């Protein structure tokens, strides 16, 4: 995957923003020392905040010593609102792809007419839980007439070699619509427009009767809203739809599909109406992270190898279920960052 040209200005802007931020960070560092000493989350002289988002090591930005490989982030302060935090990416790194198409669609052969790539935006990071939450837009298919749809698919590639996985435990697949089969899929194409390997799917079918959804308003159980559990070990994922007729296309034109943090989305019958896209800014999806430089934890009692990440005195190493990586945890009764001294 080559760096798309539309990203180059962004990378340059981010570099410029970083120079300014470094200066601010150094100054703020001094101010903080004068204040009461706070919990240290980052390595010395590394920026530890992006707006109100904490950046705990192994995440970091700027100098390579400020982050571990794969955990580089970029703080975008050039937007008018609050600063926004992104995972840095290169050709193999985390990327988010939106493709849109404006015709009759068949999920088995999706040919996108418009493709846009973006960096993955982070909401927050928790070292204690080995999790970062990212914004992820909702996939949609909105009828334009009885046979045609305008669809927008969201696809994310976290990178095979990278530290991130989609959390199977903490997320769920959701479908919203009067007759929607929402499904999660992986992709082989680098633009995300050739999709294969159908994973879980779920079905909501009102059989043309909105009353069924109103009766079940607030619960996601197959009438207007459906959900399905996710598989383990997923680094590439999109949400699409199996083609189904929308009998209610005039009043209820849109179907939605999302991968989202469990318990976050509360179904409301209101979401079945109108052409407004649900949550245009994105919904939270939970990513797990782990250290992947050495394989599993070194055996107990053995000399710690070079590059071992659990360097805090009161920390311990925990193997993950993926089998080729580990995370660092604070020992009981301690908190702080096990990845720094
Ligand atoms: C940052 O501020 C925004 C807007 O006030 C808020 O929605 C968000 O939860 C905050 N994030 C953190 C990590 O505190
Ligand atoms: C891209 O990122 C991956 C994962 O972090 C890393 O292994 C690789 O060396 C990077 N490639 C380049 C060209 O920077
Ligand atoms: C950073 O912010 C600027 C200004 O809003 C925007 O043009 C740019 O696309 C942003 N970068 C990303 C990755 O969103
Ligand atoms: C998908 O459709 C396009 C255009 O109709 C066709 O050229 C292509 O061979 C199809 N791909 C598959 C895998 O069926
Ligand atoms: C629906 O719209 C498409 C494209 O705009 C058009 O080709 C098709 O004939 C329309 N179908 C009906 C039944 O109106
Ligand atoms: C859905 O409801 C739960 C529990 O009341 C709440 O924590 C959550 O914030 C709600 N989600 C949204 C998007 O409002
Ligand atoms: C469905 O639930 C939402 C939120 O719980 C409420 O605002 C809405 O009025 C309800 N709609 C109907 C038709 O009961
Ligand atoms: C982690 O797994 C490795 C390899 O299977 C094993 O040698 C090590 O003892 C395990 N460590 C812990 C803390 O479970
Ligand atoms: C563990 O933390 C305690 C309290 O902060 C500290 O006194 C002690 O030196 C730490 N142990 C190691 C091995 O770093
Ligand atoms: C998870 O994927 C990795 C490759 O990324 C593979 O080596 C490992 O065996 C997989 N683990 C499970 C439990 O599927």
């Amino acid at each position: 995957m080559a760096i798309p040209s539309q990203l180059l200005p962004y990378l340059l802007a981010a570099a410029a923003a970083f120079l300014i931020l470094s200066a601010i960070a150094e100054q703020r560092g001094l101010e903080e020392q004068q204040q009461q000493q706070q919990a240290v989350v980052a390595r010395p002289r590394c920026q530890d905040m992006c707006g109100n988002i904490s950046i705990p090591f192994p995440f970091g930005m700027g100098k390579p010593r400020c982050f571990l490989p794969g955990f580089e982030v970029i703080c975008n302060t050039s937007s008018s609102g609050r600063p926004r935090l992104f995972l840095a990416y290169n050709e193999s790194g985390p990327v988010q792809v939106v493709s849109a198409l404006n015709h009759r669609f068949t999920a088995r052969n999706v040919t996108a007419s418009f493709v846009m790539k973006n960096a993955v935006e982070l909401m927050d990071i928790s070292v204690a839980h080995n999790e970062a939450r990212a914004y992820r837009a909702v996939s949609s298919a909105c009828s334009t007439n009885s046979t045609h749809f305008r669809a927008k698919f969201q696809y994310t590639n976290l990178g095979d070699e990278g530290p991130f996985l989609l959390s199977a435990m903490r997320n769920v697949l959701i479908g919203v619509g009067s007759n929607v089969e929402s499904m999660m899929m992986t992709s082989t194409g680098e633009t995300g427009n050739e999709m294969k390997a159908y994973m879980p799917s779920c079905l909501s079918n009102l059989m043309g009767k909105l009353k069924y959804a109103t009766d079940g308003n607030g619960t996601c159980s197959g009438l207007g809203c459906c959900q399905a559990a996710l598989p383990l070990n997923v680094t590439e994922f999109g949400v699409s739809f199996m083609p189904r007729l929308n009998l209610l296309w005039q009043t209820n034109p849109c179907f939605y599909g999302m991968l989202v943090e469990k318990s976050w989305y509360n179904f409301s019958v209101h979401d079945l109406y109108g052409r407004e896209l649900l949550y245009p800014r994105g919904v939270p999806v939970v990513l797990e992270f782990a250290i992947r430089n050495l394989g599993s934890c070194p055996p107990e009692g053995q000399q710690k190898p070079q590059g071992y990440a659990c360097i805090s005195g009161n920390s311990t190493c925990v193997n993950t279920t993926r089998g080729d990586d580990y995370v660092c945890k604070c020992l009981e009764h301690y908190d702080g960052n096990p990845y720094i001294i």
Side-chain angles (χ1 to χ4, degrees), residues 93-316:
V95 62
Q96 212 145 242
V97 180
V98 183
S99 52
L101 48 153
N102 198 3
H103 53 82
R104 186 185 194 115
F105 79 98
T106 54
R108 285 174 204 288
N109 185 356
V110 175
T111 312
S113 54
F114 166 69
V115 172
M116 192 171 69
K117 293 186 183 189
N118 288 306
V120 174
E121 183 174 0
L122 296 183
M123 224 174 242
D124 50 33
I125 300 169
S126 165
V127 160
H129 296 106
N130 318 295
E131 285 175 359
R133 285 196 298 172
Y135 290 97
R136 196 163 181 287
V138 173
S139 292
S140 60
C142 295
S143 300
T144 50
N145 64 26
S146 60
T147 55
H148 282 60
F149 300 81
R150 175 161 182 81
K152 200 170 179 187
F153 297 117
Q154 195 74 19
Y155 161 75
T156 304
N157 185 358
L158 297 172
D160 263 1
E161 307 298 321
F164 300 105
L165 277 182
L166 176 69
S167 173
M169 300 309 294
R170 299 261 289 120
N171 298 297
V172 65
L173 171 72
I174 300 263
V176 178
S178 61
N179 185 15
V180 61
E181 183 168 4
S182 174
M183 65 186 174
M184 176 178 171
M185 52 209 323
T186 58
S187 163
T188 48
E190 51 182 39
T191 54
N193 58 3
E194 294 159 42
M195 306 210 196
K196 65 152 196 186
Y198 305 105
M199 294 208 279
S201 67
C202 72
L203 175 67
S204 152
N205 187 356
L206 295 174
M207 292 167 290
K209 295 198 167 58
L210 277 162
K211 182 185 177 306
Y212 293 151
T214 314
D215 291 347
N217 189 19
T219 60
C220 189
S221 56
L223 296 172
C225 176
C226 66
Q227 53 185 319
L230 304 186
L232 295 169
N233 218 15
V234 170
T235 59
E236 291 184 54
F237 44 94
V239 178
S240 186
F241 309 99
M242 288 302 275
R244 296 180 71 87
L245 277 183
N246 184 356
L247 296 173
L248 302 171
W249 67 272
Q250 282 161 303
T251 48
N252 307 79
C254 293
F255 295 166
Y256 302 102
M258 58 185 128
L259 287 164
V260 61
E261 182 177 8
K262 256 182 207 169
S263 308
W264 186 87
Y265 174 68
N266 303 309
F267 171 64
S268 163
V269 171
H270 182 74
D271 291 347
L272 296 176
Y273 288 87
R275 294 186 174 274
E276 285 288 281
L277 290 190
L278 284 186
Y279 309 105
R281 181 87 165 75
V283 297
V285 64
V286 181
L287 311 179
E288 292 170 357
F289 63 83
I291 307 295
R292 301 189 77 195
N293 59 353
L294 298 170
S296 306
C297 295
E300 205 68 43
Q302 197 169 298
Q303 174 94 34
K304 301 304 181 221
Q306 178 108 34
Y308 178 62
C310 309
I311 58 173
S312 165
N314 288 309
S315 76
T316 184

